[in-house]
Amino acid sequence: MPSYTVTVATGSQWFAGTDDYVYLSLEGTAGCSERHLLDKPFYNDFERGAVDSYDVTVEEDLGEIQLIKIEKRKYWYQDDWYLKHITVKTPLGDYLEFPCYRWITDEKEVVLRDGRAKLPRDDKTQILKQHRRKELENRQKMYRWKEWHPGFPLSIDAHCHSELPRDIQFDNEKGIDFILNYSKAMENLYINRFMHMFQSSWSDFADFEKIFVRISNTISEYVMQHWKEDFMFGYQFLNGCNPVLIRRCTEIPKKLPVTMDMVECSLERNLTLEEEVKQGNIFIVDYELLDGVEANKTDPCTIQYLAAPICLLYKNLENKIVPIAIQLGQKPGPENPIFLPSDATYDWLLAKIWVRSSDFHIHQTVTHLLRTHLVSEVFSIAMFRQLPAVHPLFKLLVPHMRFTIAINTKAREQLICECGLFDKANATGGGGHVQMVQKAMKDLTYSSLCFPEDIKAKGMDSKEDIPYYYYRDDGIKVWEAIKSFAEDVIQIYYESDEVVCEDVELQAFVKDIYMYGMRGVKASGFPKVIKTREKLAEYLTVIIFTTSAQHAAVNFGQYDWCSWIPNAPPTMRCPPPTEKGTVTIEQIVESLPDRGRSCWHLGAVWALSQFQDNELFLGMYPDEHFVEKPVKEAMAKFRKNLDEIVSAITERNKNKKLPYYYLSPNRIPNSVAV
């Protein structure tokens, strides 16, 4: 009688093992095996991290094994089991891999296909077609779209983390409990001692140092020492944690009536302002999105304020970007003066602080929340709904969706919900952040997620003209590495553009993203269908880059750049100045966040800047969803390309006082998970 050797690998996560009854059956082209009992309670098989082997004898040869059925029956209490993969050795000595990498819960039967990736057109037998269809039907019942707020990209239909499908929950929910993490962060930073003075002001700038944690040779300490300087102010638009807003100014807008007389002392080339614009030396950052957004009113004891500044910057003869004019509102007029470097010291400093505060709000809500977290959740939900586990694009994308839906659900539960943690310290809390996302949706376009295209559209693509834009330089390298990897995988499975067009599951995936994520807005530029391998490579690169590199670039520098409170105030307690010559140091300190909000802010940027335990970085794929040799070779090539980027960035950063490492692949997690 033919005998098959079945090897079962259990995950190493906490509580991954099981003491339940486990049954297995094999289904091949020539028939099915009987249901075999592999393990009984207390047999000590299927323990965490274990690899267990069994001999399964059958009456007759089953032919080519197509499916494995695993059944877990409860013995005493709910005992989930994380099954990594099963290997089957056939009577002929062949080995078949059956990836699983998911939790088996309740008393359900799980049916696995072997690990060879297959497009819909590759399935010839009815049993495989039916399995594929049934898997998606079940997934579409589990992963449902829901509108969290009108005008937002749709999100997962779950009120809390515990309602999510088990496979996408965090292994340890305490690890992503925002309240717990913020409290822990404040304890670690020794700032809880200030919380009893919640609404009291600091005495002066030096007073902020009482909650500032010095870590030798870090960017944060350099920021604290140099934050008042125009160079540091301008540098952050290129390489801070929000390096996406600056653009080359091609024409001074009418709403910013800057004259040559105002800025002449800042220009260094003996050119007029108009000539400097034509030569490409003038840049602009416009916070128009904040205009009309309501400031936080959740605390009646503290009035909070927002502004919508316009900042004009200049590339000087040292190729440094420095500010030359700031208007704190969108409408010019006597009560909205244009502040200049030639103004009184505190006038100019307060104007820059207002810009830094506005930048913080756009960063947190638009750059970070909307354009990485919420967009990545759209990609994740669409993937689970439309791509079965056997599809090559599911295998390619699933590592980049790890924990994304979970972290966003937890954020909606605790962080950005009504009366959540976001309200405690931020002027855009209490509903302002919702208004901002709704307004920012009009600028969320497909082309703006194509990294090189977006950089070029902003006029920021020239290395010669703008030599110190490391976000751009490193981002392009990582983008190209990801795109090359995506192209390699596409070449393996899609032999022509016609095959791309015929892939109904791919087209359903793309349509889901357009219809539900982008709300079917034609102006978003998101494709409804994909017809070529070239366009598919770009589309996959957008997804992987957004979920990995773009999130890393705008998330993990938050403590570096925002822990010194005056450099990134989360709220302002006095309105923007309406005239020059009246600002005092006391007024600036009174405008900055009080002690309690400063503490919450510091705890937040610390917690958000930490990597997850057991983080998986770009190019690390320990879960072997792919079994084919050509794909593994493509992965090895991808890792080699990433290693070369790491080496180049490491070499560049040597001896730099302000190293830029947020887009170094060894610091880019695979997915949005924090």
Side-chain angles (χ1 to χ4, degrees):
M1 290 191 295
S3 180
Y4 295 80
T5 301
V6 177
T7 304
V8 183
T10 296
S12 57
Q13 293 92 327
W14 287 106
F15 310 116
T18 184
D19 278 321
D20 289 341
Y21 292 95
V22 176
Y23 300 88
L24 174 141
S25 58
L26 305 174
E27 187 163 346
T29 52
C32 304
S33 73
E34 295 180 359
R35 181 169 171 260
H36 292 265
L37 176 63
L38 298 186
D39 188 47
K40 294 180 180 179
F42 309 116
Y43 266 42
N44 295 324
D45 284 359
F46 304 135
E47 294 188 331
R48 182 165 70 99
V51 177
D52 302 295
S53 292
Y54 308 89
D55 289 326
V56 175
T57 302
V58 297
E59 295 289 335
E60 296 178 357
D61 181 46
L62 302 177
E64 182 182 347
I65 301 299
Q66 296 192 305
L67 301 174
I68 284 183
K69 296 181 180 178
I70 292 286
E71 189 180 343
K72 185 174 72 67
R73 294 295 171 186
K74 187 167 69 175
Y75 169 66
W76 187 252
Y77 61 92
Q78 182 65 37
D79 188 18
D80 297 345
W81 174 36
Y82 189 84
L83 173 59
K84 288 174 65 178
H85 58 79
I86 294 176
T87 304
V88 176
K89 181 183 178 184
T90 71
L92 297 176
D94 297 325
Y95 286 87
L96 299 173
E97 294 284 341
F98 291 81
C100 183
Y101 299 107
R102 62 186 204 242
W103 291 91
I104 299 178
T105 60
D106 306 323
E107 298 191 58
K108 292 179 180 176
E109 179 183 79
V110 173
V111 183
L112 304 177
R113 288 185 58 164
D114 79 82
R116 292 170 295 177
K118 300 289 184 184
L119 297 174
R121 71 198 292 263
D122 299 326
D123 285 343
K124 306 302 182 184
T125 65
Q126 197 59 37
I127 186 173
L128 294 180
K129 291 179 181 178
Q130 184 180 2
H131 173 262
R132 195 174 196 121
R133 185 172 62 250
K134 193 170 182 180
E135 179 184 4
L136 289 181
E137 287 173 355
N138 289 336
R139 290 241 212 97
Q140 286 164 13
K141 292 175 184 175
M142 296 169 65
Y143 296 86
R144 301 175 305 278
W145 296 105
K146 179 183 177 182
E147 183 179 70
W148 183 44
H149 285 294
F152 274 48
L154 296 194
S155 51
I156 195 74
D157 184 7
H159 292 97
C160 58
H161 180 267
S162 60
E163 288 184 5
L164 294 174
R166 182 68 178 89
D167 289 329
I168 60 170
Q169 291 182 24
F170 278 94
D171 297 334
N172 179 4
E173 193 174 345
K174 288 183 180 178
I176 46 91
D177 187 300
F178 285 107
I179 295 172
L180 184 67
N181 285 353
Y182 282 24
S183 301
K184 193 186 301 180
M186 287 190 284
E187 287 175 13
N188 291 342
L189 297 170
Y190 304 107
I191 54 179
N192 270 340
R193 64 189 185 279
F194 294 100
M195 292 300 285
H196 69 285
M197 301 180 285
F198 193 89
Q199 288 172 323
S200 60
S201 297
W202 302 96
S203 303
D204 50 35
F205 290 136
D207 212 13
F208 282 98
E209 293 189 44
K210 292 178 181 179
I211 64 165
F212 184 79
V213 179
R214 281 185 173 77
I215 304 171
S216 181
N217 296 321
T218 63
I219 291 172
S220 57
E221 186 160 359
Y222 193 89
V223 171
M224 182 196 73
Q225 295 166 351
H226 298 277
W227 70 282
K228 295 180 184 178
E229 299 170 18
D230 287 354
F231 154 72
M232 176 60 75
F233 178 87
Y235 180 85
Q236 293 178 72
F237 289 114
L238 299 178
N239 300 311
C241 59
N242 193 29
V244 303
L245 297 184
I246 189 169
R247 60 174 60 243
R248 199 184 293 271
C249 182
T250 56
E251 183 182 6
I252 304 294
K254 291 181 180 178
K255 63 181 180 179
L256 181 65
V258 175
T259 65
M260 180 63 184
D261 288 343
M262 291 179 181
V263 298
E264 186 174 10
C265 61
S266 297
L267 307 182
E268 299 179 354
R269 293 179 176 86
N270 295 319
L271 300 173
T272 66
L273 177 60
E274 186 177 306
E275 289 169 337
E276 294 279 18
V277 169
K278 286 180 180 177
Q279 289 205 6
N281 298 321
I282 304 296
F283 300 83
I284 192 166
V285 180
D286 189 346
Y287 297 93
E288 183 179 12
L289 186 107
L290 283 164
D291 193 33
V293 173
E294 295 179 21
N296 193 340
K297 293 184 175 66
T298 57
D299 180 3
C301 298
T302 303
I303 301 175
Q304 301 178 59
Y305 296 90
L306 291 168
I310 310 170
C311 181
L312 208 62
L313 300 118
Y314 175 63
K315 184 185 72 172
N316 64 21
L317 290 174
E318 295 180 315
N319 284 322
K320 292 179 179 178
I321 304 291
V322 293
I324 58 172
I326 294 172
Q327 183 176 284
L328 296 180
Q330 292 289 308
K331 296 178 181 178
E335 294 188 349
N336 189 17
I338 296 174
F339 292 92
L340 308 166
S342 55
D343 289 340
T345 300
Y346 292 135
D347 281 8
W348 182 235
L349 182 60
L350 181 57
K352 289 191 294 181
I353 289 173
W354 267 105
V355 172
R356 293 297 312 141
S357 182
S358 301
D359 195 79
F360 175 81
H361 297 311
I362 296 289
H363 166 260
Q364 286 290 9
T365 302
V366 180
T367 308
H368 184 207
L369 173 63
L370 172 60
R371 297 180 69 89
T372 63
H373 278 261
L374 298 185
V375 169
S376 296
E377 183 174 1
V378 166
F379 297 149
S380 295
I381 298 170
M383 181 198 72
F384 282 113
R385 286 176 54 83
Q386 303 299 349
L387 299 177
V390 72
H391 198 291
L393 299 188
F394 178 90
K395 293 172 181 286
L396 175 68
L397 295 177
V398 70
H400 302 287
M401 309 301 167
R402 179 175 180 251
F403 298 147
T404 297
I405 298 175
I407 195 70
N408 285 2
T409 302
K410 200 70 178 178
R412 286 188 287 270
E413 193 181 344
Q414 292 184 332
L415 182 61
I416 51 178
C417 57
E418 190 175 346
C419 302
L421 290 172
F422 196 80
D423 290 353
K424 290 185 180 292
N426 295 291
T428 51
H433 60 298
V434 174
Q435 290 177 274
M436 290 173 69
V437 170
Q438 290 166 335
K439 293 174 73 172
M441 279 295 289
K442 72 178 189 302
D443 297 319
L444 179 58
T445 61
Y446 179 77
S447 62
S448 72
L449 296 180
C450 293
F451 188 83
E453 196 174 330
D454 186 55
I455 292 288
K456 189 172 184 178
K458 291 171 179 169
M460 301 295 293
D461 52 316
S462 173
K463 287 187 180 183
E464 186 178 333
D465 289 349
I466 314 162
Y468 304 120
Y469 197 11
Y470 304 127
Y471 163 74
R472 171 203 60 206
D473 299 343
D474 298 351
I476 292 289
K477 290 178 182 177
V478 174
W479 172 275
E480 291 299 334
I482 292 171
K483 189 177 181 186
S484 177
F485 176 46
E487 288 170 342
D488 288 344
V489 173
I490 289 167
Q491 289 294 329
I492 295 168
Y493 296 103
Y494 294 90
E495 62 192 41
S496 67
D497 291 344
E498 287 73 25
V499 179
V500 172
C501 293
E502 293 169 3
D503 186 349
V504 293
E505 290 167 349
L506 162 63
Q507 303 304 339
F509 169 63
V510 171
K511 186 178 179 182
D512 242 27
I513 290 171
Y514 172 73
M515 288 300 300
Y516 297 103
M518 298 307 119
R519 311 301 297 267
V521 177
K522 189 176 181 180
S524 71
F526 271 77
K528 300 177 187 177
V529 295
I530 289 181
K531 297 180 179 180
T532 67
R533 291 183 292 179
E534 181 183 3
K535 194 66 180 176
L536 177 57
E538 180 188 77
Y539 195 82
L540 295 173
T541 305
V542 165
I543 293 173
I544 297 172
F545 186 88
T546 301
T547 58
S548 58
Q550 187 60 30
H551 178 256
V554 303
N555 180 72
F556 294 104
Q558 291 190 73
Y559 185 78
D560 287 347
W561 295 101
C562 303
S563 57
W564 179 244
I565 307 291
N567 189 57
T571 190
M572 297 290 276
R573 296 179 299 146
C574 295
T578 56
E579 57 181 325
K580 295 187 181 186
T582 62
V583 178
T584 63
I585 182 65
E586 290 78 18
Q587 183 182 344
I588 292 178
V589 173
E590 192 63 33
S591 296
L592 290 169
D594 53 37
R595 294 171 186 263
R597 287 179 176 83
S598 296
C599 293
W600 274 111
H601 169 81
L602 194 57
V605 297
W606 171 272
L608 290 172
S609 299
Q610 306 306 303
F611 293 119
Q612 285 283 337
D613 293 338
N614 304 316
E615 191 71 81
L616 296 175
F617 295 97
L618 195 59
M620 294 172 58
Y621 301 118
D623 291 356
E624 297 190 59
H625 291 277
F626 283 109
V627 300
E628 296 95 326
K629 185 178 178 182
V631 188
K632 293 188 175 184
E633 290 172 348
M635 288 178 174
K637 175 186 166 186
F638 183 38
R639 282 190 289 271
K640 183 174 181 294
N641 290 341
L642 294 175
D643 288 343
E644 290 173 359
I645 297 171
V646 171
S647 298
I649 292 173
T650 302
E651 184 63 29
R652 182 197 65 210
N653 283 337
K654 279 184 179 177
N655 303 317
K656 274 193 180 296
K657 292 178 181 177
L658 281 172
Y660 187 81
Y661 44 71
Y662 308 117
L663 281 169
S664 184
N666 61 341
R667 290 173 175 259
I668 298 175
N670 266 334
S671 62
V672 176
V674 66

